[in-house]
């Protein structure tokens, strides 16, 4: 077998990696906003849940979270008489999204808290409600502050997807391992793996830069 | 004479151990143009910020349009105001800030239309019409599509004035509107404020260090010192012939 024969199976794996990355990053972004805002909420229950979520998922490793969702949750479900077996893809997306969301929530919280008090006062003087102030005034100004960190987290997330191969999900790393077991051609396969992950990271970085430019276009407007 | 539109009745305001307003009594009549002068830290901004509901009070009573601002009637007398009450009261007031506080992520036009649309429920078209009229009035009709950072400080402050006016307040509060401006840009902002001062119905409260301007446009000038009105009167009385030594010292210091 030649290296060109590896391309097709590796591309299949890469497609799974892309899907995992996209879905878990979107899930992570939603969770980041919900719990980042929650941590600043005046409602103590919402605040407590947000703090608990952020601390638990930042304080334990992604691998343990993944194993827990995939192996332990179904057993806990059996004990309670409910079926909590998750398909590997769902377990992977959930674990990755929950993990990246916890880090993202801290980014969202920090960026929202950094918006100047003056802006809150101007909003109050114009009689905006608390919700209108948050979504119309504060968050649009906080998003540009979040974007560089979000870009880093998204790339981190892409690299973390390799862990899901441990629950037999056919992602890029899993496929590479399969071929390697079969051919023993470690050097070629791992080199290709490296290049493919790097390529995907480049594309992802470019996408995040694009989003960042979009979110900050008001800052760079020229007369 | 009619009832005052603004009334401070023995109002106390503290920040920790510091008593900023110490049983302040202060009244403003409807349509009156009042300038507040005084040394830094004397509580001038605090008076405006209490009216704009940016700061609460620790004692006494503030009424706006005859209704308590920081209180509302309850089963046994007055109780602290709810957010709903504050929202209702706030509709009468507008504020122009020293640092402009424009929304940097919105165009000039959006800065002015956003609150009328979202808070007053105006249609986008009506709000735009209203904004364009106001921009015309403050001399910025051609800047509607710019972002605040593309404007000079004087232009930004004129947008700030238009933004406050778009909500049609009956009371407009100015907290040192020209203090953050380069000297050559002060005039254009004072011109706009001066025009507003001609409006019969609008009540204006202006904290300023521009003594000559205060003298020109005010019906009354109040000299604040240590959280009290040390002296007040017509501009003539206060600037030409102050009674108090403190007033005289202050005027001498700022006019030199
Ligand atoms: N949020 C605050 N916390 C603590 N002290 C404050 C606060 N706001 C104002 N002060 C103090 O209250 C006093 C009056 O402030 P201010 O009303 O801003 O004065 P002025 O506008 O006349 O310069 C000052 O001594 C100021 O330091
Ligand atoms: Mg002040």
């Amino acid at each position: 077998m030649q290296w060109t024969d590896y391309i097709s199976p590796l591309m299949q794996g890469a497609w799974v990696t892309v899907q995992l990355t996209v879905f878990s990053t979107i899930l992570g972004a939603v969770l980041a906003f919900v719990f980042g805002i929650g941590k600043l909420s005046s409602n103590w229950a919402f605040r407590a849940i947000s703090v608990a979520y952020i601390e638990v998922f930042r304080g334990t490793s992604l691998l343990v979270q993944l194993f827990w969702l995939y192996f332990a949750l179904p057993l806990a479900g059996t004990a309670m008489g409910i079926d909590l077996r998750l398909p590997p893809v769902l377990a992977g997306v959930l674990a990755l999204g929950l993990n990246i969301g916890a880090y993202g929530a801290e980014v969202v919280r920090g960026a929202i808290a950094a918006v100047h008090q003056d802006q809150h006062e101007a909003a109050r003087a114009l009689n905006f409600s608390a919700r209108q102030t948050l979504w119309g005034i504060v968050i649009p100004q906080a998003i540009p502050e979040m974007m560089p960190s979000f870009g880093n987290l998204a790339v981190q997330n892409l690299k973390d997807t390799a862990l899901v191969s441990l629950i037999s999900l056919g992602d890029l790393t899993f496929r590479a391992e399969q071929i390697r077991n079969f051919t023993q051609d470690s050097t070629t396969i791992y080199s290709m793996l490296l290049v493919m992950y790097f390529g995907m990271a480049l594309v992802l970085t470019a996408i995040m830069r694009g989003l960042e430019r979009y979110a900050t276009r008001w800052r760079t407007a020229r007369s | 004479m009619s009832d005052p539109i603004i009334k401070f009745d023995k109002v106390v305001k503290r920040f920790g151990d510091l008593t900023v307003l110490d049983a302040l009594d202060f009244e403003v009549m409807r349509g009156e143009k009042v300038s507040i002068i005084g040394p830094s830290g004397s509580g001038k901004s605090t008076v405006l910020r209490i009216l704009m509901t940016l700061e609460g009070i620790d004692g006494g009573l503030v009424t706006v349009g005859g209704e308590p601002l920081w209180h509302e009637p309850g089963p046994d007398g007055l109780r602290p105001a709810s957010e709903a009450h504050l929202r209702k009261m706030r509709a009468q007031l507008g504020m122009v800030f020293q640092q402009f506080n424009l929304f940097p992520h919105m165009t000039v036009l959006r800065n002015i239309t956003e609150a009328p649309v979202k808070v007053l429920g105006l249609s986008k078209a009506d709000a735009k019409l209203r904004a364009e009229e106001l921009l015309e009035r403050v001399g910025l009709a051609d800047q509607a599509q710019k972002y605040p950072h593309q404007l000079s400080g004087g232009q930004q402050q004129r947008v700030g004035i238009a933004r406050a006016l778009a909500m049609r307040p009956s009371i407009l509060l100015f907290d040192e509107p020209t203090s953050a401006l380069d000297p050559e840009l002060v005039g254009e902002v004072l011109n706009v404020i001066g025009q507003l001062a001609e409006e019969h119905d609008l009540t204006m409260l202006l904290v300023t260090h521009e003594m000559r301007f205060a003298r020109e446009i005010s019906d009354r000038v109040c000299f604040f010192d240590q959280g009290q009105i040390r002296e007040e009167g017509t501009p003539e009385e206060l600037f030409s012939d102050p009674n108090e030594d403190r007033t005289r010292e202050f005027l001498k210091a700022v006019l030199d």
Side-chain angles (χ1 to χ4, degrees):
Chain A
M1 281 179 97
Q2 298 183 309
W3 70 274
T4 43
D5 297 326
Y6 307 151
I7 291 180
S8 167
L10 286 181
M11 285 311 275
Q12 278 175 23
W15 177 234
V16 173
T17 294
V18 166
Q19 285 175 303
L20 275 172
T21 306
V22 168
F23 291 132
S24 63
T25 302
I26 292 172
L27 174 64
V30 172
L31 292 170
F33 271 91
V34 170
F35 293 108
I37 291 169
K39 199 170 170 184
L40 295 165
S41 166
S42 52
N43 179 323
W44 74 264
F46 190 14
R47 207 165 55 235
I49 291 169
S50 304
V51 171
Y53 161 71
I54 293 169
E55 294 308 323
V56 166
F57 281 89
R58 288 201 315 168
T60 56
S61 86
L62 174 58
L63 190 62
V64 175
Q65 291 159 22
L66 185 67
F67 281 2
W68 193 88
L69 278 172
Y70 190 64
F71 298 116
L73 189 64
L75 294 176
T78 313
M80 289 184 294
I82 22 178
D83 186 3
L84 290 177
R85 282 174 301 176
L86 302 176
V89 183
L90 186 57
V93 168
L94 269 182
L96 288 164
L98 282 163
N99 187 265
I100 213 77
Y103 286 93
E106 273 302 314
V107 173
V108 169
R109 185 204 59 78
I112 288 178
V115 172
H116 207 282
Q117 185 59 26
D118 285 355
Q119 292 289 311
H120 290 269
E121 295 189 349
R124 201 165 154 84
L126 291 164
N127 228 345
F128 287 112
S129 68
R131 176 172 301 211
Q132 289 168 336
T133 303
L134 180 67
W135 290 101
I137 310 293
V138 176
I139 287 181
Q141 294 184 57
I143 285 177
E145 300 301 324
M146 304 173 194
M147 289 314 293
S149 302
F150 273 8
N152 290 339
L153 285 176
V155 172
Q156 178 71 48
N157 201 28
L158 165 66
K159 295 189 275 188
D160 285 349
T161 56
L163 281 177
V164 302
S165 60
L166 295 170
I167 58 169
S168 308
L169 232 169
D171 76 318
L172 181 56
T173 303
F174 185 82
R175 293 278 177 220
E177 276 303 310
Q178 271 187 328
I179 305 169
R180 198 182 67 91
N181 282 336
F182 188 68
T183 64
Q184 303 297 321
D185 190 1
S186 298
T187 312
T188 312
I189 291 167
Y190 282 150
S191 304
M192 290 174 77
L193 197 60
L194 211 66
V195 169
M196 288 175 82
Y197 271 113
F198 186 61
M200 287 193 277
L202 280 183
V203 173
L204 187 58
T205 304
I207 292 171
M208 295 306 288
R209 287 258 167 77
L211 285 175
E212 181 173 349
R213 259 200 300 281
Y214 179 75
T216 57
R217 68 201 178 287
W218 51 270
R219 284 187 178 174
T220 47
R222 292 267 154 266
S223 27
Chain B
M1 192 138 184
S2 59
D3 288 337
I5 189 168
I6 295 171
K7 187 169 169 160
F8 280 59
D9 188 2
K10 306 242 171 339
V11 171
V12 178
K13 174 66 188 177
R14 294 189 199 95
F15 289 111
D17 291 338
L18 178 72
T19 302
V20 177
L21 301 182
D22 189 6
L24 174 72
D25 289 318
F26 178 50
E27 287 185 2
V28 179
M29 294 297 159
R30 194 173 289 277
E32 199 178 10
K33 317 293 184 263
V34 177
S35 290
I36 298 176
I37 61 171
S40 170
S42 58
K44 307 180 298 294
S45 295
T46 302
V47 166
L48 298 197
R49 292 170 56 79
I50 287 171
L51 283 167
M52 199 60 255
T53 72
L54 302 175
E55 298 286 357
I57 58 176
D58 299 303
L61 191 68
V62 178
T63 56
V64 171
E67 263 190 277
L69 179 66
W70 278 103
H71 299 82
E72 61 186 316
D76 8 74
L78 291 177
R79 56 173 181 189
S82 62
E83 180 56 28
H85 176 79
L86 291 177
R87 271 202 107 186
K88 188 190 79 181
M89 297 300 288
R90 234 179 258 140
Q92 304 172 65
L93 296 138
M95 184 151 177
V96 175
F97 297 89
Q98 183 173 348
Q99 301 294 339
F100 330 134
N101 300 12
L102 297 182
F103 303 129
H105 60 299
M106 295 181 188
T107 60
V108 164
L109 187 73
R110 250 318 267 300
N111 262 279
I112 304 174
T113 57
E114 188 76 353
V117 169
K118 287 207 178 150
V119 177
L120 303 180
L122 252 65
S123 74
K124 287 212 168 111
D126 287 347
K128 184 158 181 266
L129 225 58
R130 189 182 279 196
E132 282 165 349
E133 242 167 68
L134 285 165
L135 282 173
E136 189 78 43
R137 229 163 105 185
V138 300
L140 294 172
D142 49 346
Q143 309 288 328
Q145 295 309 326
K146 296 231 172 112
Y147 285 92
H149 72 89
Q150 297 172 286
L151 303 183
S152 73
Q155 291 173 320
Q156 289 190 48
Q157 190 58 295
R158 286 184 279 152
V159 175
I161 294 171
R163 183 178 70 172
L165 286 172
M167 297 298 279
R168 304 257 163 98
S170 43
I171 302 166
L172 200 47
L173 311 167
F174 294 87
D175 192 1
E176 301 197 27
T178 57
S179 294
L181 298 177
D182 292 336
E184 74 272 17
L185 301 176
V186 168
E188 62 190 60
V189 173
L190 292 184
N191 274 339
V192 169
I193 300 174
Q195 280 168 35
L196 287 174
E198 320 254 295
E199 288 195 14
H200 187 71
D201 289 336
L202 185 67
T203 306
M204 274 174 42
L205 230 59
L206 170 72
V207 173
T208 187
H209 292 296
E210 298 289 333
M211 296 303 154
R212 191 180 320 164
F213 182 69
R215 185 173 189 151
E216 266 170 42
I217 66 139
S218 313
D219 301 313
R220 180 158 54 104
V221 180
C222 298
F223 173 63
F224 265 66
D225 189 32
Q226 295 172 351
Q228 283 286 340
I229 297 179
R230 184 58 70 99
E231 184 168 359
E232 61 180 320
T234 64
E236 292 307 310
E237 291 166 353
L238 200 102
F239 287 117
S240 309
D241 185 22
N243 292 322
E244 300 274 330
D245 289 341
R246 283 288 294 150
T247 319
R248 217 167 293 137
E249 282 165 31
F250 173 76
L251 288 174
K252 188 165 179 308
V254 291
L255 292 176
D256 282 348

